[in-house]
Amino acid sequence: MNHLKIDPFKMTRELSEFQQRIEKVQKVLKEIPSVDVEPTAYKVIFRKDKLSLRHYATEKKRSSTPLLICYALVNRPYMLDLEEERSFIKTLLAHGTDIYLIDWGYPDDADRYLDLDDYINDYLDHSVEAALNHSGAEKINLMGICQGGTFSLCYTALHPKNILNLVTMVTPVDFQTPDNLLYHLSKKINIGLAVSTYGNIPGKMLCNFYNSLMPMKLGLQKHLEMSEQLECIDKATSFLRMEQWINDSPDQAGQAFQEFVEQFFQQNKLIKGEAMIGDLRVDLKQINHPVLNVFGQHDHLVPPSSSKALKNYISSNDYQELQFNTGHIGIFVSEKSKDSVAPSIFQWLNDRDL
Amino acid sequence: MIQEQLWNNLDQWIKSGIRDSGDPLSKESSRADNHTFSQLQSILDAHSKGFVSFGECLLNEITSSHSTIIEQEFVTHFKEYLAQQSNSSVLNQFQIPTELLSLVKNDPSVFSKSDIFSLINRFSEQLWAGQKNSLQPDFADTQKKVTEYQNALIEHIDHHKAINNQAIQALLLKLNTDSKEINSLQELHRLWTESYESIYRHSLLDEQFQSSYGRLSNALIELQKQLHDFRNQLFQNAGLASKTGLDSALQRQQQFRKEMRTTKREMVAMKNQISSMKLEIEQLRSMVNSLVEPKTDTRKSK
């Protein structure tokens, strides 16, 4: 242990400072009654069951085709508008595009048998229709995020006429690449048994599952280092917003969850052209639209290899990839997101506007 | 009398289900609320205590050995610390179902006896007190499931032990070979996390680890399913609506929903068809008219 040079005096001081910091943190946490998220104003223009479709209006419209964002069923879409200083939505609005955002809501027992057909051919299809009617546009730009990206791919393949341009962000396409940890860890789990036991899959269970991909970094180490984030109220509030989002994990409608895990993760049917949404088979070759595929270099949930596979399975002549030096979440909330991710996406869409 | 006993049992069951806010079945627990802060405080508190106590052990070691850390002692302290952290992480993720856990909490001696079957018997006695034997489920099956859960848990913890050992070896290698000096406990902790995650990631790709993870997940779900089945049985015995009944109603509702959607689609298609047929008829009519009209005109001109 040649390089372990811990001085006992310094170590005593370090431990005492650490304890003092923890005491300070306890005080700071008591001073913050609650945290607010989603600072950007929106109007709900359509509702169906638990789903609501939000409209964010830009003040200086520069593109004639509105953008519809399809978020994942896992976690909540306010990650895109967490706070004023790091709002992906606000940055896109500032560039001049109108945005529609799907909020899937919180499924409950009544939604136990909702399947992928309901989510894609019904809810997503109605959202596209509502956004088109509301905006008066003939076509829409569709942006899918993570699992929402997979949904968007299925939707575009099944209903190609409604879409002008497609943007996929941190989207799994090939679910069985060697570095896909979610696939490796989930492949021996009996999903049918889980769904028949719990009905809807508890959100907390999914949180635990994601954390088990990096248990010490996302658990112990993060908690030890968070005392540094919680020393002053501003930083602490910002940190707590993110914590709130991480823990705000809706339960997953049982049937849809089972279909997604079995067809996509365990059988990799999307790239085999065998995925079934209701009675419709998804053929990615039907996608001949301009496609922008955006992903994070350090994404541990959806590795770049999984997203990059897309180019091999669609028939688009206008396909572009953008890789950023971020992780799965950083791509939306980091400084880089504000400075380069959102502006690059807007530019790409604007170049292909009608 | 039996009915009263049943109601008591149900009441107890429901209470045990909601007692622990960490129960994955508690729907509201997954939503962010004010509890987040207090949860965060308690997590921070628990982890910082572990960290400080590890630091103090290491500090004692350094001071007693006059500023040099003996590798063997260091490894021992780290192993203890790690075992504690990773075991609590595994146990937290694969926590025994709340209904059983509540019994352990009420009487910790049940666990100290290491007799899981006495726990099951106690559980069944409480739930099925006053019920006819014919209405009671087969508890031998539950015992099998608990045993499988225990064995799977032990197997998985063994994997974590192996990961911990490898992580410590990787840490020692880094401490002996890397050029960067480690001057604080925090730096040491970070370096260990790096070593741990690298070994752990490698394990995730290992077929045996995946099987063990799957086995434990499935064993826990099986156990939970059994407990849900018991609850259903209790509800049915009491003449109440059970989850099974609710499930089939929901399934039927979903079927109607689909049928309605198909009907709507067909109606829209028929409407479109009728519209286009109307248009076609209009076109044919005007064609016919245009064929008829010139004759009339010719007569007039004559």
Side-chain angles (χ1 to χ4, degrees):
Chain A
M1 297 194 293
N2 304 334
H3 300 288
L4 186 59
K5 305 280 181 204
I6 300 181
D7 172 61
F9 178 70
K10 276 188 188 165
M11 191 167 153
T12 313
R13 202 172 60 193
E14 188 189 349
L15 283 172
S16 132
E17 280 172 0
F18 178 76
Q19 276 173 317
Q20 282 170 15
R21 213 163 49 229
I22 296 293
E23 281 165 26
K24 201 173 167 187
V25 165
Q26 309 279 15
K27 279 184 196 157
V28 170
L29 285 176
K30 275 181 191 151
E31 281 175 44
I32 306 173
S34 63
V35 293
D36 51 335
V37 290
E38 298 184 285
T40 313
Y42 63 83
K43 242 166 98 176
V44 173
I45 60 140
F46 169 73
R47 285 184 198 279
K48 190 163 198 232
D49 301 334
K50 306 279 187 323
L51 174 146
S52 56
L53 182 66
R54 303 171 179 181
H55 174 231
Y56 296 84
T58 179
E59 284 173 5
K60 46 164 191 175
K61 211 177 209 168
R62 280 179 58 208
S63 66
S64 59
T65 314
L67 177 67
L68 171 66
I69 302 180
C70 174
Y71 197 75
L73 301 175
V74 185
N75 284 109
R76 303 281 297 137
Y78 63 80
M79 190 262 291
L80 304 173
D81 190 27
L82 204 57
E83 57 189 2
E84 204 72 41
E85 294 71 28
R86 42 179 182 167
S87 167
F88 184 74
I89 284 186
K90 203 180 151 205
T91 314
L92 281 174
L93 286 175
H95 277 84
T97 185
D98 257 12
I99 297 173
Y100 294 89
L101 172 69
I102 297 173
D103 176 357
W104 300 110
Y106 294 89
D108 60 25
D109 286 345
D111 304 308
R112 151 78 175 86
Y113 289 100
L114 284 183
D115 56 17
L116 291 181
D117 177 42
D118 294 305
Y119 276 105
I120 294 168
N121 291 326
D122 189 3
Y123 291 148
L124 182 50
D125 191 42
H126 276 97
S127 299
V128 170
E129 196 182 289
L132 287 174
N133 288 339
H134 185 261
S135 64
E138 282 182 10
K139 290 191 175 211
I140 207 147
N141 290 328
L142 181 61
M143 176 193 282
I145 293 172
C146 189
Q147 182 193 32
T150 311
F151 282 13
S152 301
L153 286 169
C154 295
Y155 181 80
T156 310
L158 297 174
H159 310 271
K161 65 177 174 42
N162 296 327
I163 309 300
L164 181 63
N165 301 299
L166 176 65
V167 182
T168 52
M169 294 192 73
V170 292
T171 294
V173 178
D174 181 348
F175 287 76
Q176 297 188 355
T177 53
D179 54 351
N180 194 326
L181 300 180
L182 279 177
Y183 157 65
H184 288 297
L185 207 55
S186 66
K187 71 180 174 192
K188 302 280 164 91
I189 298 176
N190 185 342
I191 300 298
L193 177 69
V195 171
S196 74
T197 302
Y198 295 108
N200 291 338
I201 297 296
K204 196 180 174 200
M205 195 182 251
L206 286 182
C207 277
N208 283 338
F209 183 71
Y210 294 137
N211 284 340
S212 67
L213 295 181
M214 288 203 283
M216 292 303 156
K217 197 173 172 190
L218 298 176
L220 184 59
Q221 190 65 27
K222 178 185 140 185
H223 293 132
L224 286 177
E225 289 187 351
M226 80 181 173
S227 61
E228 289 161 24
Q229 303 285 327
L230 295 170
E231 274 188 293
C232 70
I233 290 189
D234 281 352
K235 259 174 107 176
T237 311
S238 190
F239 178 86
L240 290 171
R241 283 191 183 109
M242 181 54 89
E243 278 302 294
Q244 176 172 319
W245 177 78
I246 291 170
N247 291 303
D248 195 355
S249 182
D251 296 346
Q252 300 295 300
Q255 186 64 31
F257 183 81
Q258 183 172 351
E259 285 181 12
F260 191 75
V261 175
E262 288 180 350
Q263 285 203 65
F264 291 80
F265 275 98
Q266 295 181 337
Q267 296 158 22
N268 213 7
K269 284 188 169 177
L270 181 64
I271 59 166
K272 292 178 187 164
E274 295 168 2
M276 295 298 293
I277 307 297
D279 51 5
L280 303 173
R281 191 178 62 82
V282 178
D283 176 12
L284 289 178
K285 285 279 177 236
Q286 296 301 316
I287 302 179
N288 53 14
H289 312 65
V291 174
L292 177 65
N293 191 6
V294 186
F295 43 86
Q297 196 180 340
H298 307 292
D299 193 332
H300 73 289
L301 292 172
V302 181
S305 58
S306 174
S307 301
K308 283 162 92 168
L310 181 60
K311 64 173 175 288
N312 304 322
Y313 299 99
I314 53 175
S315 57
S316 172
N317 292 323
D318 181 5
Y319 170 84
Q320 196 181 326
E321 286 177 1
L322 280 180
Q323 176 170 289
F324 291 93
N325 186 21
T326 63
H328 193 70
I329 308 300
I331 205 160
F332 302 100
V333 296
S334 62
E335 279 296 310
K336 199 165 284 160
S337 170
K338 200 173 158 187
D339 299 340
S340 46
V341 182
S344 309
I345 292 171
F346 177 80
Q347 195 53 54
W348 185 87
L349 286 172
N350 213 31
D351 291 346
R352 288 156 183 80
D353 202 14
L354 288 171
Chain B
M1 182 66 191
I2 292 175
Q3 207 66 358
E4 195 183 324
Q5 181 68 50
L6 256 174
W7 279 110
N8 288 338
N9 296 346
L10 282 172
D11 186 48
Q12 196 188 343
W13 181 288
I14 292 161
K15 279 178 184 157
S16 74
I18 56 175
R19 195 173 296 144
D20 191 334
S21 63
D23 177 12
L25 289 177
S26 157
K27 304 289 176 208
E28 297 303 315
S29 69
S30 60
R31 297 191 189 184
D33 51 23
N34 290 337
H35 291 297
T36 311
F37 292 2
S38 53
Q39 277 169 2
L40 209 61
Q41 274 184 341
S42 55
I43 290 170
L44 185 63
D45 201 35
H47 283 174
S48 58
K49 269 182 192 157
F51 179 70
V52 169
S53 107
F54 165 67
E56 280 167 352
C57 281
L58 210 59
L59 189 63
N60 286 340
E61 179 58 32
I62 299 172
T63 40
S64 64
S65 58
H66 307 289
S67 297
T68 51
I69 302 172
I70 300 164
E71 191 168 301
Q72 193 50 48
E73 297 294 328
F74 172 80
V75 169
T76 309
H77 288 315
F78 228 117
K79 260 189 185 168
E80 280 170 15
Y81 174 61
L82 278 187
Q84 196 190 349
Q85 300 303 333
S86 69
N87 283 354
S88 77
S89 158
V90 175
L91 289 172
N92 199 27
Q93 194 185 350
F94 297 102
Q95 202 177 64
I96 191 164
T98 323
E99 294 85 349
L100 292 179
L101 194 68
S102 64
L103 287 178
V104 183
K105 276 182 188 167
N106 290 343
D107 182 6
S109 64
V110 174
F111 235 29
S112 63
K113 283 178 200 163
S114 301
D115 187 358
I116 198 78
F117 297 134
S118 76
L119 191 148
I120 298 290
N121 291 334
R122 196 187 173 88
F123 180 68
S124 60
E125 275 166 24
Q126 281 192 12
L127 279 177
W128 266 265
Q131 295 251 336
K132 284 180 198 165
N133 280 344
S134 59
L135 293 175
Q136 291 189 10
D138 179 10
F139 287 102
D141 197 35
T142 315
Q143 291 184 346
K144 267 188 213 158
K145 288 189 165 116
V146 173
T147 310
E148 168 59 9
Y149 164 76
Q150 272 200 319
N151 291 340
L153 185 65
I154 290 167
E155 184 194 66
H156 198 62
I157 285 178
D158 281 346
H159 276 282
H160 278 269
K161 274 184 195 161
I163 292 170
N164 288 346
N165 288 339
Q166 287 175 54
I168 291 174
Q169 292 312 315
L171 173 70
L172 288 176
L173 189 70
K174 279 185 178 170
L175 287 174
N176 284 321
T177 54
D178 274 13
S179 54
K180 197 185 163 220
E181 274 191 4
I182 297 297
N183 297 306
S184 70
L185 198 56
Q186 209 170 24
E187 282 175 13
L188 178 66
H189 210 277
R190 246 175 244 152
L191 190 68
W192 165 73
T193 305
E194 258 175 50
S195 313
Y196 181 92
E197 291 298 352
S198 154
I199 300 289
Y200 182 77
R201 192 184 163 86
H202 195 70
S203 303
L204 287 183
L205 305 177
D206 173 52
E207 199 72 31
Q208 282 183 331
F209 183 88
Q210 291 160 12
S211 297
S212 148
Y213 187 91
R215 181 186 173 194
L216 181 53
S217 302
N218 294 337
L220 184 58
I221 298 169
E222 283 272 14
L223 190 56
Q224 188 72 67
K225 188 172 188 309
Q226 183 93 356
L227 295 171
H228 287 187
D229 290 347
F230 287 171
R231 181 175 54 190
N232 274 338
Q233 184 72 55
L234 262 178
F235 273 58
Q236 271 171 4
N237 293 356
L240 295 170
S242 68
K243 189 96 168 81
T244 321
L246 178 70
D247 253 15
S248 70
L250 286 171
Q251 217 164 350
R252 212 171 304 155
Q253 187 200 25
Q254 173 70 2
Q255 206 181 327
F256 288 145
R257 186 192 153 94
K258 295 260 186 209
E259 282 170 11
M260 214 166 91
R261 228 174 74 200
T262 315
T263 312
K264 264 188 185 174
R265 263 194 217 146
E266 284 169 359
M267 271 174 66
V268 170
M270 273 166 72
K271 266 186 186 173
N272 290 340
Q273 216 174 345
I274 290 170
S275 299
S276 66
M277 279 167 75
K278 268 185 182 171
L279 196 74
E280 216 174 307
I281 290 168
E282 281 303 315
Q283 282 170 346
L284 283 169
R285 184 176 289 161
S286 59
M287 271 173 73
V288 170
N289 284 343
S290 67
L291 286 171
V292 171
E293 275 169 10
K295 278 184 182 173
T296 322
D297 287 344
T298 324
R299 268 187 220 150
K300 268 181 188 171
S301 64
K302 276 181 181 174

